[in-house]
Amino acid sequence: EPEVTQTPSHQVTQMGQEVILRCVPISNHLYFYWYRQILGQKVEFLVSFYNNEISEKSEIFDDQFSVERPDGSNFTLKIRSTKLEDSAMYFCASSAGTSRNYGYTFGSGTRLTVV
Amino acid sequence: AQSVTQPDIHITVSEGASLELRCNYSYGATPYLFWYVQSPGQGLQLLLKYFSGDTLVQGIKGFEAEFKRSQSSFNLRKPSVHWSDAAEYFCAVGAKGTGFQKLVFGTGTRLLVSP
């Protein structure tokens, strides 16, 4: 079964440093997403991406965050200057975008720890 | 705005007993509904989803869920719980965007299985 692949699985970074989280969505999917889960809390939508631009972003997704599809397979989330409160599990997801063939699939996540 | 309520934070069930996890949603149109399971430190695995049609949906690992429009509910059930079912369970509603869906998650129910 097709998978969404995320790397790295764990990342520790110092406050103020830039981090890039990487994702390889399912190849025939058109819509890409990032979600965040702070430890012990619910999963929250960050951003959706389609046709090389952001479709929608939440209030969490401020100017410190950016997303990019640098080539035909990767989808990245960049945090420019990390804060302690950015420590969370970050999930990438992709979907086919149609109602019947929805195919909404999550990756296994990247646990980001900011120290 | 769309929302999902999972009223039970923790549930403890004896192995072999039946299980029902509650989920109520708020959404103005016909919802797309999902149940995900998350083992500690792991990603989100889709158990089942409802788009339309038969209101009783079968999923993986012996789980099923029933969509009840009149009660705005999508409760997850399993007739006989196994110790390996201990995990966190998230209900989610798909909120329509422009040709895509973002998922709004509930706060989760942690299932503990006693011997």
Side-chain angles (χ1 to χ4, degrees):
Chain A
E1 188 171 332
E3 291 185 344
V4 174
T5 305
Q6 290 187 244
T7 55
S9 56
H10 294 87
Q11 181 149 0
V12 180
T13 188
Q14 288 198 328
M15 190 169 53
Q17 294 297 304
E18 174 184 287
V19 294
I20 297 176
L21 309 183
R22 304 181 190 279
C23 170
V24 179
I26 292 174
S27 61
N28 64 344
H29 283 185
L30 302 176
Y31 297 87
F32 314 114
Y33 313 85
W34 284 100
Y35 287 76
R36 181 182 80 175
Q37 184 185 31
I38 295 173
L39 185 63
Q41 299 186 22
K42 67 179 177 180
V43 179
E44 301 173 290
F45 169 80
L46 288 178
V47 65
S48 63
F49 190 86
Y50 170 71
N51 199 27
N52 285 318
E53 59 183 24
I54 291 174
S55 303
E56 185 175 341
K57 59 184 180 180
S58 73
E59 61 275 8
I60 303 169
F61 194 88
D62 61 22
D63 292 343
Q64 294 298 314
F65 292 90
S66 63
V67 290
E68 192 178 30
R69 190 154 163 83
D71 52 42
S73 60
N74 290 284
F75 179 52
T76 62
L77 174 68
K78 181 192 291 185
I79 309 175
R80 289 189 183 82
S81 179
T82 50
K83 297 175 277 195
L84 294 176
E85 54 265 38
D86 294 326
S87 295
M89 180 78 96
Y90 288 83
F91 292 106
C92 175
S94 67
S95 75
T98 63
S99 60
R100 181 56 63 181
N101 186 27
Y102 199 70
Y104 209 116
T105 305
F106 282 86
S108 56
T110 294
R111 181 169 298 284
L112 176 65
T113 302
V114 181
V115 297
Chain B
Q2 302 82 12
S3 66
V4 175
T5 301
Q6 293 180 250
D8 303 306
I9 298 174
H10 297 98
I11 281 186
T12 300
V13 175
S14 298
E15 190 169 15
S18 64
L19 169 70
E20 182 168 23
L21 301 183
R22 295 184 290 166
C23 172
N24 293 96
Y25 67 90
S26 172
Y27 188 60
T30 300
Y32 296 163
L33 295 162
F34 305 80
W35 274 100
Y36 286 87
V37 61
Q38 184 182 35
S39 297
Q42 301 300 309
L44 298 166
Q45 182 181 24
L46 179 67
L47 286 176
L48 47 77
K49 58 190 176 187
Y50 170 79
F51 288 160
S52 65
D54 194 345
T55 56
L56 186 62
V57 180
Q58 301 298 319
I60 63 171
K61 304 184 180 185
F63 285 93
E64 66 178 26
E66 186 171 11
F67 170 60
K68 293 185 177 180
R69 183 187 300 274
S70 61
Q71 298 177 19
S72 297
S73 70
F74 188 57
N75 294 348
L76 182 72
R77 301 193 294 247
K78 187 170 184 177
S80 178
V81 167
H82 188 262
W83 64 267
S84 61
D85 293 324
E88 185 107 23
Y89 291 80
F90 291 95
C91 181
V93 62
K96 280 192 175 182
T98 308
F100 72 98
Q101 299 268 342
K102 69 178 182 183
L103 298 190
V104 176
F105 284 81
T107 50
T109 297
R110 182 168 298 278
L111 173 65
L112 305 172
V113 181
S114 61

